[in-house]
Amino acid sequence: MNKQPERQTFFGGCPHDCPDTCAMIYEVADGKLTQVTGNKEHPMTQGVLCVKLKDYHEHHYNPDRVLYPLKRTGPKGSKQYERISWDEAIKEIRDRWTDIIAKYGSQSIMPYAYLGNEGLVQGLTSGDAFFNRLGSTVNEKTYCGSGSSTAWLLTVGPTGGVDPESFVHARYIVIWACNTISTNLHHWPFVLEAQKRGAKLVVIDSYRSRTAKQADWHIMPKPGTDGALAMGVINAIIQQGLVDQEWVDAHTVGYPELKERAADFSPEYVEKITGVPAGDVAKFAQEFATIKPSVIRLGVALERHHGGGQAVRAACAIPALCGSWRDVGGGLLQMPLWEFPVNWGNVARPDFIKPKTRVVNNLRLGAALTGELDLDPPIMGLYVYNTNPVSQAPETNKIVKGLAREDLFFVTAEHFITDTAKYADIILPATMAGEHDDMMFSWGHFYLTLNEKAIEPRGEAKSNAEIFRLLAEGMGFEDEQFKKSDKELIEHYVQWDAPQMAGKDMEYFRKHGYFHLNVGTADDRLPHAQGNFPTPSGKVEFLLNGAKNFVAPPFRHMYEEMQSGEDVDPLPGYVPPRESADTNEELAKKYPLSILSPKSHGFLNSCYANEPHKIKGQGEQFVLINPKDAAARSIRHGDPVRVFNDRGDFQGLAEVTDDVRDGVIVSTLGYWRSLNRSDGSVNCISSDALCGLGNAPTFSDNLVQVARVN
Ligand SMILES: Nc1nc2c(c(=O)[nH]1)N[C@H]1C(S)=C(S)[C@@H](COP(=O)(O)OP(=O)(O)OC[C@H]3O[C@@H](n4cnc5c(=O)[nH]c(N)nc54)[C@H](O)[C@@H]3O)O[C@H]1N2
Ligand SMILES: Nc1nc2c(c(=O)[nH]1)N[C@H]1C(S)=C(S)[C@@H](COP(=O)(O)OP(=O)(O)OC[C@H]3O[C@@H](n4cnc5c(=O)[nH]c(N)nc54)[C@H](O)[C@@H]3O)O[C@H]1N2
Ligand SMILES: [Mo]
């Protein structure tokens, strides 16, 4: 008689860098992960996983996974490796680092991380404590959300804003620079429900994205001009006498000054800059102010140009002027992250950082490695985890040049030999989410989600936290921090006694898997009807007094006094893009087209972009181009084209469409350059210049030329 294998289930939390942080269920039989599904109980996940995750169990068994520590045997980039033991790997790293530290000092070692894993224990800052203890260079991690966060914190403070589930109560919903159907899928049912109840959906996006196609109204500003659009809307609200004066007088700072600054932004002037018809600017202002509750969902993409931070500040002023915060479902949603009771000090240990330690931003990796930043001491040791910069960071060709340096000792922990990992001297096998314990915060909703280890790691894979424990032991660090197991770290990182936790403990999570923070419910959360903003004044701060630019934790953990940067413009406003046909005529003679490189529907950043069935679903790298621009270059639908500027090039297939305006092209992100038709991907052309606030990237602020490949 066949004995049925015993099935077990475990709670999962999707590890990916995505606002949805889905609650999942791992099914295990005979020690194998047999199925991963969305948790049906969960109000946001609702039992549904996206196209990327729907066969997540199989992802764990991908035959290309790195399962053992590997040591390079061929030239850098050749992908030639031999298997070594963990003992050998740790010893090699210890010996090389010790040697580098003796010769160049500890700051010549640089960690380089991002949110490839989003857990408190295995994620963004899982190595900070170790590297701070080592005395390495501090890595400032601002790929995403840092510019909008700085703008948000300066204007409304660390509030979580509107609960995404409260959107069902809104009657006027604005999705601004966010492609919800691809990038925030589990918010979409709440938007649809609101529409069913009579809400109007407006999408502000520089091209007709999947989400824009579903909108009641699509507003299409030229890339990087949203600051002017927002200032125009502010002016139109004021000019039309639609300001909620009582609320503004009671709960904002600097209205007279904002009014004066906005007065320059007549609808006609705004049309000239943004390409949005003057009448639409006035109409949008009128509708937003009068159809209540009105709410704006700010997408991360709003920050990705020179003036991105200032644009976010201006957009944040709009609901305040209209008194939108008075209603459940009215106001702003950016990243609810700020209300999560995480003890970041325990996670990142900024107290370990020695005074005068330098900071290197992760968007400047190429410049740091190639000597352009003139670092003293130079970077001689690099440790990369949870990120794939050769696909995701700007100016990729410069990064590749840096990684190929013979004298650089480069270690990475990875699932796959990615376009970055292939340059490593040592590759350490990292666990996937079903193989380790973690607790997931979210930047898209208010649930804290447990991820339980469901199966033993494949091969000799180890979790990031365990790898740092081994490295700490190797380096002889005795601190308690490096003795705690992954489960103990969860206990250590969550502020269990915070009011948001409402007395919940690990036992609760082991029973239920997730918990909606005690910050009001979808039907009653009303954080700022009476002001109470967590800013110095307790109000929305249109006007700032002596503010300095900064990068907020968790993107960078430092001493207070090391945070302070350039002066910030006291008022929100429009800062033109560095690269656009209208603002940089000289460059536009050579490179006349603005390029957007948003997220691919079928990949999660560069994850899954090496899996043939996922590539099949997503399709080959495309280049959306307007019929007018295509005709001028004799490009027909389906033609292979080359996109280029002085920084580099990549190739894709032309899709001739009026989903993009003339002067703009769109190619999505994530493709591995080694698997593309030429050795290139979108970040070969993107600039590593930083946005004005929060040191964010400027991926939407780039000019290129396109030519047919013959
Ligand atoms: N399927 C999928 N989902 C993902 C990811 C993924 O790779 N794939 N990545 C995750 C991550 S890390 C993040 S940060 C989020 C990001 O999620 P989103 O914020 O949605 O980011 P993007 O897709 O980059 O850009 C959203 C939209 O902004 C538009 N846009 C770009 N520049 C401008 C501009 O200057 N003005 C205006 N008005 N619009 C502009 C783009 O055309 C795009 O349609 O998605 C997460 N979810
Ligand atoms: N042109 C352009 N570039 C962009 C953007 C854009 O819109 N346009 N968006 C930017 C944004 S918003 C973001 S967030 C960044 C994202 O950029 P990255 O953070 O680099 O994103 P991924 O490509 O997902 O890389 C994550 C890597 O971590 C590995 N990984 C996953 N889990 C673990 C783990 O538990 N342990 C270890 N050791 N490794 C793990 C994965 O295998 C993968 O290779 O890209 C940015 N780059
Ligand atoms: Mo991101």
Side-chain angles (χ1 to χ4, degrees), residues 17 114-117 122 143-144 300 304 385-389 391-393 413-416 418 430-431 436 464 597-599 604-607 669 682-683 686 699:
D17 184 6
Y114 205 66
L115 276 169
N117 180 312
Q122 316 297 355
Y143 268 143
C144 168
V300 174
R304 294 197 190 114
Y385 65 102
N386 290 346
T387 176
N388 182 9
S391 166
Q392 302 297 111
E414 251 301 349
H415 297 154
F416 298 102
T418 63
T431 45
H436 60 228
N464 283 329
S597 51
K599 306 291 187 275
L604 197 295
N605 295 316
S606 72
C607 294
L669 169 81
V682 287
N683 275 323
S686 57
F699 296 121

Side-chain angles (χ1 to χ4, degrees), residues 494-520:
V494 176
Q495 283 175 355
W496 297 96
D497 58 357
Q500 298 96 301
M501 293 307 294
K504 298 292 181 281
D505 57 10
M506 272 311 285
E507 201 41 47
Y508 180 91
F509 281 87
R510 275 192 286 270
K511 265 201 198 116
H512 301 276
Y514 60 86
F515 175 61
H516 186 281
L517 299 181
N518 180 30
V519 293

Side-chain angles (χ1 to χ4, degrees), residues 265-282:
F265 291 85
S266 69
E268 294 70 29
Y269 177 57
V270 170
E271 174 174 338
K272 236 179 92 196
I273 297 172
T274 64
V276 176
D280 286 357
V281 178

Side-chain angles (χ1 to χ4, degrees), residues 648-671:
D649 69 347
F650 69 95
Q651 292 186 15
L653 297 181
E655 270 184 41
V656 181
T657 166
D658 57 15
D659 287 348
V660 284
R661 63 163 71 240
D662 60 290
V664 178
I665 64 164
V666 175
S667 285
T668 61
L669 169 81
Y671 293 88

Side-chain angles (χ1 to χ4, degrees), residues 170-226:
R171 301 256 350 261
Y172 202 79
I173 296 178
V174 181
I175 297 181
W176 201 327
C178 176
N179 185 10
T180 308
I181 294 175
S182 292
T183 62
N184 190 188
L185 178 68
H186 297 83
H187 191 218
W188 190 241
F190 297 87
V191 174
L192 287 181
E193 174 61 23
Q195 259 184 323
K196 214 160 84 192
R197 299 184 193 179
K200 179 164 180 173
L201 172 64
V202 185
V203 170
I204 307 179
D205 197 301
S206 299
Y207 92 107
R208 203 178 297 136
S209 65
R210 275 178 199 248
T211 310
K213 284 179 185 159
Q214 301 301 317
D216 298 303
W217 185 15
H218 173 208
I219 298 176
M220 190 156 69
K222 293 181 189 173
T225 66
D226 301 83

Side-chain angles (χ1 to χ4, degrees), residues 462-689:
K462 292 188 189 300
S463 73
N464 283 329
E466 190 180 350
I467 297 174
F468 290 120
R469 281 194 292 277
L470 289 176
L471 289 172
E473 196 192 326
M475 298 305 292
F477 301 160
E478 293 291 329
D479 316 68
E480 274 307 300
Q481 179 90 20
F482 307 118
K483 305 237 155 85
K484 292 183 194 298
S485 69
D486 292 9
K487 280 198 172 104
E488 287 165 345
L489 287 173
I490 297 178
E491 296 272 1
H492 189 53
Y493 291 168
V494 176
Q495 283 175 355
W496 297 96
D497 58 357
Q500 298 96 301
M501 293 307 294
K504 298 292 181 281
D505 57 10
M506 272 311 285
E507 201 41 47
Y508 180 91
F509 281 87
R510 275 192 286 270
K511 265 201 198 116
H512 301 276
Y514 60 86
F515 175 61
H516 186 281
L517 299 181
N518 180 30
V519 293
T521 69
D523 296 326
D524 68 15
R525 179 174 160 90
L526 200 53
H528 306 302
Q530 307 297 326
N532 294 322
F533 288 90
T535 54
S537 62
K539 302 177 180 192
V540 177
E541 303 207 338
F542 300 142
L543 181 70
L544 301 170
N545 195 352
K548 304 273 184 201
N549 187 19
F550 65 94
V551 170
F555 306 110
R556 168 172 147 188
H557 293 274
M558 291 295 287
Y559 293 121
E560 273 302 291
E561 67 270 20
M562 294 178 76
Q563 274 282 359
S564 128
E566 312 272 291
D567 289 348
V568 172
D569 186 336
L571 289 163
Y574 171 56
V575 179
R578 293 193 184 90
E579 297 188 14
S580 81
D582 295 332
T583 59
N584 192 338
E585 284 174 27
E586 206 40 47
L587 188 64
K589 281 186 199 149
K590 256 164 97 183
Y591 303 120
L593 303 171
S594 288
I595 178 169
L596 297 175
S597 51
K599 306 291 187 275
S600 291
H601 184 78
F603 305 145
L604 197 295
N605 295 316
S606 72
C607 294
Y608 306 105
N610 58 327
E611 298 187 342
H613 66 295
K614 293 282 157 75
I615 299 173
K616 199 164 159 229
Q618 166 63 26
E620 197 176 326
Q621 178 93 64
F622 58 76
V623 179
L624 305 187
I625 185 164
N626 182 278
K628 198 170 142 196
D629 291 326
R633 292 164 180 78
S634 308
I635 291 169
R636 288 156 314 188
H637 200 77
D639 279 348
V641 293
R642 179 171 164 257
V643 179
F644 60 98
N645 60 20
D646 288 342
R647 293 180 284 260
D649 69 347
F650 69 95
Q651 292 186 15
L653 297 181
E655 270 184 41
V656 181
T657 166
D658 57 15
D659 287 348
V660 284
R661 63 163 71 240
D662 60 290
V664 178
I665 64 164
V666 175
S667 285
T668 61
L669 169 81
Y671 293 88
W672 292 25
R673 58 185 286 169
S674 54
L675 301 175
N676 267 353
R677 49 176 56 227
S678 69
D679 185 23
S681 62
V682 287
N683 275 323
C684 291
I685 58 80
S686 57
S687 153
D688 67 358

